[in-house]
Structures are given as structure tokens and as C-alpha cells.
């Protein structure tokens, strides 16, 4: 049984979230927000979105099956877990998991330890209580020993609840929309970078010391055992330094990679609607490929480049202070200037090669995926007519790039060694330096040789990263501009009141005044000075010719496109006040068939993704009942897993009519204030159309139907 001091009430959760975020190191300050007054899941989700904005963190719902509940709790921290204790709602704030116990933050801001099994039992308690089977009684009647009862109970509950998602956990994570540098500092990357640089310099200094010992032992007259012990000690010291250096580099690479992928994923969701809609599949696929390699190229290039520059500076300093004097150090500078000239010429050829490669990829993907009908109608001889010139251009660009890369490796990398050795030998003969100085100078020459080769390789990797940035950059920048604002607490309160009022009177839901919208590539606006009012209970049919702006108006009303001028008010509030998320939850658009999609996942996910996910048991029952009302019961009967069957490109294939009804069910399950259907019934036969219209009239009071005349 959980102690009451280890749990928080809903009204105490505001302070608890701020304390948990600070204790976990993912946030340092928070604005005081009002706690939620309602007890339903929707209001709680809104509260978490508002708190995430105030704390500058991400708060994400998480759910899992009962069999994986303990494992999820060990990995979830920091997180908030919702429980029901004696019929009262309470929250547990997870700080970290260790072994079989979880560290939680108490109301006294102290740290308490709770077994994962106890926490898992408390989460699943409502589901277990509603089960018709008495699991504990079955275990007692079976005569199972006390040592094995826990395992037997978990196995039975896992089997009974295998289709139930327990979604009472919210994960706290660092916000991906903030500054990348600030996020990495919170992760402790600065200390790891300091360790990496310190161990790196330590390795070089010890390496030079080893060369000095080797020179004294090889050319000097003192061959005492003390020098051998010093040499061995220096070599042994290099081992832990190298291990620490590799450990720090690995952690930096891991942290940077995780944060970069998170930011790019957020940026992909935040790309402008029109840019995603009009971009070709080849462009999007190229962006995926380039973003996948961008991280590796940037990290390897930056790390290797920093190491190479450090080696080169140290080699130049040793040559300037040693046998070669300032003239040999000047040779290093002159050689680097020559390398820069060669590399700039190579970079120009590599950029041309990358552009040719991406264009070839885009064209091939568009032909294979987007133009299958055209290819099927052409003769075999015409299929590759456009590919031959593109392949010829790619071959020419590859040949030019390879030629300059060969010059870099031969002239710059391998040419340094004979030139520098000749200069070193000349100064040694004329200057009469000692053997130790010559040995150190030889080590510096070899160090510079290694640094030049590493610098060229890192430059190539950074050049590839720079070229890839042309596709990755828009995703990275889009992540810093969140498209979904949570709105104000006052707006949420007003909406809660008006949602209840609209069911009994003809309140104004949508008020459109002087609305206008223009596309960037068109001189004339597609919408100009539009005015309309939608009352609660209105059922509007919008007809017009193709290209007349019907779909554009629907997208603006649903908050997918910002109006160029004019205003759209929902319950008397604009979108900035309500927030993007809440606006799109209350004004739902089911777009045209080619703009609506079945995602690879379960049918339940495709139905409830706009309502709540992970889904509760009541939501799953509601979704299944709606599917049967829309005459999809035969489809559920054919699926082996019913509503939990995987559908989409890699799963169960749906017909056009089935897809249309899934799209309609998905929109209805969001229970919006206003539902906009954009030609949603084009793929239905007359009988199915009558059924869908009957269900639509029963389920939705206020709607706008868009159709051709």
C-alpha cells in the first residue's frame, strides 16, 4: 500500500511538476499555473500541455500492456503516474528507477523508495477490480506456493489484460523546441566535452614525452634503467587517458545524436502544411536519407577535425621551437594554404555530385511510385529514356570529384612527408642539432602527417554534412517554431462553459469576418472577404466548382492554414487565444480522399489517434460500436485481431469504401464542436451512403459538408 505522503493530489500537482522537473535537471523555473478543476482525462491532458509550456519541457502520455508495466516504470522516470487509492485520484512523481524499486518525490520534497510491483498493482487496480475473474481466488484454489504466487498472478493478469492499454503515465522530457546548446548543457555535455579535450591534450603531451625518451635512449649516452621505467610509465598512462577520451566521445556522440533526432522529428511535424502537401515523395525520401547520415557526418567530421587541428598546431609549435625553427613552422602554414585551395576546388565538385545524385534519386522515386500508370502505358524501350542522360551526368560528376579527391590524397597528404623530411634533414645538417631534438622533430613531422590526412577526411565529412544541411536545415529550424500553442487557462475555462451551452441553444460557434487567403505562387487570392456564421446545430452544404476555394476555406477554418487577412473566431475567441491543439480538436476536418491517410498501425490507432492515445477501454468499445454502426462489422469479423489488427501498407488492406468509413469514424470519434467533411462520400455506393449519413446525423449536430454540384 502506498503511503499518502508519497502521492500528490491534482491541485498539488502544479507545484509537484515544477519540483520534479527541477530535481530531474530538465527545467530550472516554472510559471505558476492554475490547476485543473475538472476530473476527466481531456481536461487533465490540457493541463499537462499548459504545464509543459510553462516549464519548457515535453510531457507525453505513455501506455503499455500489463505484462510490460514494471519494465516501463523502470525506464519511464522522470514521469507522473496517475492512481486511484480508495476511490480518490492521486499522482506519483517518479524520479528514477533502480533494480526492483522506484525513487519518487514526496509531498515533503523528500525522496522515497517504492517497489515497482506495488506501483504496478496500484496502476492496474481499477482494471483488475472490474474483471469478472477472481485471480487471487483462482491462485489460492490451485494450491500455488507463496513464492510463486506473484509470478502466477502476473501471468494470469497479463493474459486477461493483453488487449488493454494502461495509459496512466506521463513522461517528462527535455523540450526539443528550445536551444540545442541549452539542451546539451542540461544533459551534462559541457563536462564531457571538457573531459574529452583534457584527455586529448594529455595524450598528445604524453606522446611527445615518449618521443623524447625514445630519442634519449636511442641517440644519447645515458642508458640507465630509470629512463626505461619512465618510458614504460608514460606508455601505461596513455591507456587510461585513451579510454576516458573514447568514453567521453561516445557519450557526447550519443547525447548529440538523440537530441538531434528528437529535434528533426519535431521539425518534421512542424513543417508548414503546404510544404508537406506539395512536396514530392522523392524529395521527402531524400530528406530522410540525408538526415540519417547528417548526424554521423557532422559528429565524425567535427571530432576528427578538432583532433587534427590540435595535432597540427602542436606539431607546428614543436617544429618552431625545435630543430626546424620558424621556417619549418612556416612550411606547415604554407602547406595548409595549398590544401585549402585544393579542398575548395574539391568541394565545388562534390556539391555538383551531390546535387546530381539527389536529382537522380528524386526522379527515380517519382517514376517508380508516383508515375506507375504512365510507366504501365509506355513501351519497355521508353522506360529508361529519361534516366540515361541523368546517369551520364552522374557519371561525369563522379569522375570529376574522384579526380580532385585523388589529388588531395596524393599531393597534400602523401606529399607532405618527403617535403618536410627534406627540410628537417637540411636544417639538421646545417644547424647541428642534438639527437634528442632530431627525434622530437621527426615525431612532430609524423604527427603533422597524420593530422593532415585526418583533416582532409574530416573536411570531406563536414562538406557532406554542409550539403545535407540544405535538406535537413528546414527540419531543424522548424523545430524551433512550435506550431501548436496550448492557449491560456482562461480560454480553456470559457470553452468548457460554452461547450455545455452549445448543446441547448443556438450559440455562434464559428464567426468568419473578412477572411482572405493567398497562395505564395498566385497573384490573385483564392479567398477574398469571406463572411459567414455557423451556429450550434447548423448543417451546411457547401457546393462550388473545382478550384473555387472550398478545400482552402475548410483548411483555414480547421486551423491548418493561417488566414492572410480577416478573422475566424470559435466561441468568440481567436486561434491564438484558444491554441492550435484545442482549436483543431474542436474544429475537425476530414480532408479529401487523396489527402487523408491510413497509417501503418492498428485499426484502433487509426480510429482513435485524434481522440486519445493510448486508448482507454471505454474508447475502444466506443470505436468498435461506431464501426459496426457504419457497417464495418463484417470487416472486424474477418480480421484475426479485430479492432487491434494492423492495417496500412504493411498490414490488412482496406478498400476505398472501407477507408472512407474509417475516415468518417475517426472524425466522429473526436467529438468536435464543428465537423467539416470535404467530399468524404465520393467512394461510397448509394446504400452505404444512406447508412453513413444516418449515423452522421445521429452523432454530430454541427457540420459543414463540401461537395461538387
Amino acid at each position: 500500500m502506498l503511503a499518502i505522503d508519497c502521492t500528490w493530489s491534482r491541485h498539488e500537482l502544479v507545484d509537484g511538476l515544477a519540483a520534479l522537473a527541477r530535481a530531474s535537471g530538465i527545467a530550472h523555473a516554472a510559471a505558476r499555473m492554475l490547476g485543473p478543476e475538472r476530473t476527466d482525462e481531456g481536461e487533465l491532458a490540457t493541463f499537462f500541455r499548459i504545464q509543459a509550456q510553462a516549464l519548457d519541457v515535453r510531457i507525453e502520455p505513455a501506455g503499455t500492456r500489463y505484462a510490460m508495466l514494471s519494465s516501463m516504470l523502470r525506464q519511464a522516470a522522470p514521469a507522473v503516474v496517475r492512481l486511484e487509492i480508495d476511490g480518490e485520484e492521486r499522482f506519483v512523481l517518479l524520479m528514477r528507477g533502480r533494480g526492483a524499486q522506484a525513487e519518487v518525490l514526496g509531498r515533503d520534497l523528500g525522496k522515497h523508495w517504492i517497489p515497482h510491483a506495488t506501483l504496478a498493482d496500484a496502476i492496474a487496480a481499477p482494471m483488475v477490480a472490474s474483471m469478472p475473474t477472481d485471480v487471487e481466488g483462482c491462485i489460492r484454489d490451485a494450491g500455488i506456493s507463496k513464492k510463486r504466487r506473484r509470478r502466477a498472478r502476473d501471468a494470469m493478469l497479463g493474459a486477461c489484460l493483453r488487449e488493454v492499454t494502461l495509459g496512466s503515465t506521463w513522461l517528462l522530457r527535455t523540450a526539443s523546441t528550445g536551444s540545442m546548446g541549452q539542451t546539451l548543457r542540461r544533459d551534462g555535455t559541457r563536462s564531457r566535452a571538457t573531459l574529452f579535450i583534457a584527455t586529448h591534450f594529455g595524450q598528445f603531451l604524453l606522446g611527445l614525452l615518449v618521443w623524447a625518451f625514445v630519442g634519449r635512449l636511442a641517440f644519447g649516452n645515458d642508458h640507465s634503467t630509470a629512463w626505461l621505467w619512465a618510458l614504460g610509465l608514460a606508455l601505461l598512462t596513455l591507456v587510461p587517458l585513451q579510454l576516458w577520451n573514447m568514453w567521453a566521445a561516445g557519450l557526447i556522440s550519443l547525447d548529440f545524436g538523440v537530441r538531434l533526432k528528437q529535434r528533426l522529428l519535431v521539425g518534421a511535424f512542424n513543417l508548414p502544411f503546404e510544404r508537406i502537401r506539395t512536396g514530392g515523395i522523392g524529395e521527402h525520401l531524400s530528406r530522410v536519407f540525408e538526415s540519417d547520415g547528417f548526424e554521423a557526418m557532422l559528429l565524425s567530421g567535427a571530432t576528427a577535425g578538432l583532433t587534427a587541428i590540435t595535432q597540427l598546431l602542436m606539431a607546428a609549435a614543436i617544429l618552431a621551437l625545435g630543430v626546424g625553427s620558424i621556417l619549418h613552422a612556416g612550411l606547415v602554414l604554407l602547406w595548409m594554404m595549398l590544401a585549402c585551395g585544393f579542398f575548395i576546388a574539391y568541394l565545388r565538385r562534390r556539391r555538383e555530385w551531390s546535387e546530381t545524385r539527389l536529382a537522380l534519386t528524386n526522379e527515380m522515386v517519382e517514376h517508380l511510385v508516383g508515375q506507375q500508370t504512365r510507366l504501365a502505358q509506355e513501351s519497355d524501350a521508353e522506360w529508361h529514356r529519361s534516366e540515361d542522360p541523368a546517369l551520364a551526368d552522374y557519371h561525369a560528376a563522379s569522375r570529376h570529384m574522384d579526380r580532385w579527391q585523388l589529388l588531395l590524397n596524393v599531393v597534400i597528404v602523401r606529399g607532405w612527408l618527403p617535403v618536410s623530411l627534406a627540410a628537417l634533414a637540411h636544417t639538421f645538417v646545417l644547424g647541428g642539432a642534438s639527437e634528442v631534438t632530431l627525434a622530437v622533430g621527426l615525431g612532430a613531422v609524423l604527427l603533422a602527417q597524420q593530422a593532415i590526412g585526418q583533416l582532409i577526411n574530416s573536411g570531406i565529412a563536414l562538406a557532406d554534412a554542409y550539403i545535407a544541411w540544405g535538406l535537413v536545415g528546414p527540419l531543424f529550424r522548424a523545430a524551433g517554431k512550435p506550431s501548436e500553442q496550448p492557449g491560456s487557462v482562461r480560454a480553456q475555462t470559457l470553452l468548457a462553459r460554452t461547450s455545455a451551452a452549445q448543446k441547448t441553444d443556438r450559440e455562434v460557434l464559428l464567426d468568419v469576418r473578412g477572411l482572405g487567403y493567398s497562395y505564395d505562387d498566385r497573384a490573385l487570392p483564392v479567398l477574398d472577404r469571406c463572411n459567414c456564421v455557423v451556429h450550434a446545430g447548423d448543417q451546411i452544404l457547401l457546393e462550388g466548382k473545382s478550384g473555387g476555394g472550398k478545400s482552402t476555406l475548410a483548411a483555414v477554418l480547421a486551423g491548418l492554414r493561417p488566414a492572410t487577412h480577416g478573422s475566424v473566431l470559435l466561441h468568440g475567441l481567436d486561434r491564438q487565444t484558444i491554441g492550435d491543439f484545442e482549436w483543431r480538436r474542436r474544429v475537425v476536418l476530414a480532408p479529401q480522399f487523396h489527402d487523408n491517410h491510413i497509417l501503418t498501425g492498428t485499426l484502433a490507432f487509426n480510429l482513435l489517434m485524434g481522440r486519445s492515445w493510448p486508448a482507454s477501454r471505454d474508447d475502444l468499445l466506443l470505436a468498435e460500436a461506431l464501426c459496426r454502426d457504419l457497417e464495418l462489422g463484417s470487416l472486424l469479423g474477418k480480421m484475426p485481431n479485430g479492432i487491434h489488427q494492423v492495417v496500412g501498407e504493411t498490414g490488412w488492406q482496406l478498400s476505398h469504401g472501407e477507408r472512407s468509413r474509417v475516415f468518417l469514424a475517426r472524425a466522429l470519434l473526436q467529438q468536435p464542436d464543428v465537423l467539416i467533411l470535404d467530399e468524404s462520400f465520393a467512394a461510397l455506393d448509394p446504400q452505404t451512403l444512406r447508412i453513413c449519413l444516418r449515423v452522421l446525423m445521429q452523432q454530430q449536430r454541427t457540420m459543414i459538408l463540401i461537395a461538387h454540384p
Side-chain angles (χ1 to χ4, degrees), residues 248-576:
L251 289 180
I252 293 172
S253 176
L254 182 63
D255 290 343
F256 181 80
V258 169
R259 296 308 178 192
L260 178 63
K261 283 183 171 62
Q262 288 179 347
R263 191 175 182 91
L264 293 181
L265 181 60
V266 172
F269 285 110
N270 285 356
L271 279 179
F273 170 77
E274 196 63 28
R275 184 165 187 172
I276 297 175
R277 184 174 180 271
T278 58
I281 187 173
E283 177 187 350
H284 294 315
L285 185 62
S286 298
R287 181 175 285 113
V288 172
F289 288 158
E290 294 301 309
S291 62
D292 186 52
F294 174 76
E295 171 205 343
M297 291 182 294
L298 182 61
L299 282 175
S300 61
T303 304
L306 179 63
T307 303
I309 291 174
T310 304
Q311 290 179 350
L312 201 60
L313 291 175
M314 294 187 67
I318 294 168
L319 290 173
L321 299 175
V323 65
S325 186
I326 195 67
L327 295 178
H328 215 150
L331 179 62
V332 176
L333 179 61
L334 180 63
W335 204 260
M336 284 297 96
M337 294 175 61
L338 180 64
C340 288
F342 273 75
F343 189 79
I344 291 174
Y346 168 77
L347 179 60
R348 187 178 300 113
R349 271 70 181 182
R350 193 166 186 88
R351 180 181 296 175
E352 295 173 356
W353 171 79
S354 296
E355 292 174 352
T356 306
R357 172 177 58 84
L358 292 175
L360 182 62
T361 302
N362 294 349
E363 184 177 359
M364 292 183 66
V365 172
E366 292 290 346
H367 284 176
L368 292 174
V369 179
Q371 303 178 18
Q372 296 180 4
T373 303
R374 183 183 65 81
L375 293 177
Q377 295 173 351
E378 289 182 347
S379 62
D380 297 353
E382 300 292 330
W383 283 2
H384 305 289
R385 179 179 296 274
S386 61
E387 296 176 8
D388 294 338
L391 288 173
D393 294 340
Y394 176 75
H395 178 68
S398 300
R399 187 173 61 252
H400 294 157
M401 182 190 66
D402 292 342
R403 184 182 297 117
W404 278 98
Q405 187 170 358
L406 181 64
L407 289 174
L408 274 173
N409 290 326
V410 173
V411 177
I412 302 301
V413 179
R414 300 185 182 277
W416 161 257
L417 190 59
V419 173
S420 59
L421 287 179
L424 183 64
H426 178 72
T427 54
F428 175 72
V429 171
L430 296 181
S434 65
E435 294 84 354
V436 175
T437 306
L438 177 63
V440 174
L442 179 61
V445 168
L446 295 177
L447 183 64
Q449 162 81 11
Q450 180 183 6
I452 292 173
Q454 193 172 355
L455 193 61
I456 294 298
N457 292 331
S458 68
I460 294 174
L462 289 175
D464 289 338
Y466 173 73
I467 295 169
W469 180 254
L471 290 173
V472 178
L475 298 180
F476 191 89
R477 290 188 291 269
K481 302 175 181 179
S483 60
E484 292 189 356
Q485 300 296 330
S488 65
V489 178
R490 179 174 175 80
Q492 304 300 328
T493 305
L494 291 174
L495 287 174
R497 295 172 182 170
T498 54
S499 294
Q502 65 143 335
K503 298 179 181 179
T504 56
D505 55 40
R506 287 181 52 80
E507 182 209 2
V508 175
L509 297 185
L510 284 176
D511 188 1
V512 181
R513 302 178 184 178
L515 180 65
Y517 185 84
S518 300
Y519 290 100
D520 294 336
D521 55 348
R522 298 184 187 179
L524 297 177
V526 65
L527 299 176
D528 187 20
R529 296 188 297 274
C530 296
N531 299 278
C532 68
V533 176
V534 179
H535 296 86
D538 285 349
Q539 297 175 350
I540 301 172
L541 176 63
L542 179 60
E543 294 182 328
K545 63 180 181 179
S546 297
K550 303 186 301 297
S551 297
T552 303
L553 175 61
V556 174
L557 294 180
L560 297 179
R561 289 192 177 101
T564 305
H565 55 268
S567 64
V568 182
L569 303 179
L570 175 63
H571 296 293
L573 303 173
D574 60 10
R575 189 158 59 94
Q576 287 71 26

Side-chain angles (χ1 to χ4, degrees), residues 192-208:
R192 292 162 185 167
T194 303
L195 177 62
F196 173 78
I197 295 173
T199 53
H200 195 67
F201 272 102
Q203 288 183 77
F204 286 136
L205 293 176
L206 278 177
L208 294 176

Side-chain angles (χ1 to χ4, degrees), residues 89-111:
E89 181 187 53
R90 305 295 294 182
F91 295 88
V92 174
L93 306 183
L94 291 179
M95 294 189 62
R96 60 172 175 164
R98 178 189 296 174
Q101 291 188 320
E103 186 181 34
V104 303
L105 185 67
R107 292 161 59 196
D108 57 354
L109 300 184
K111 299 176 181 179

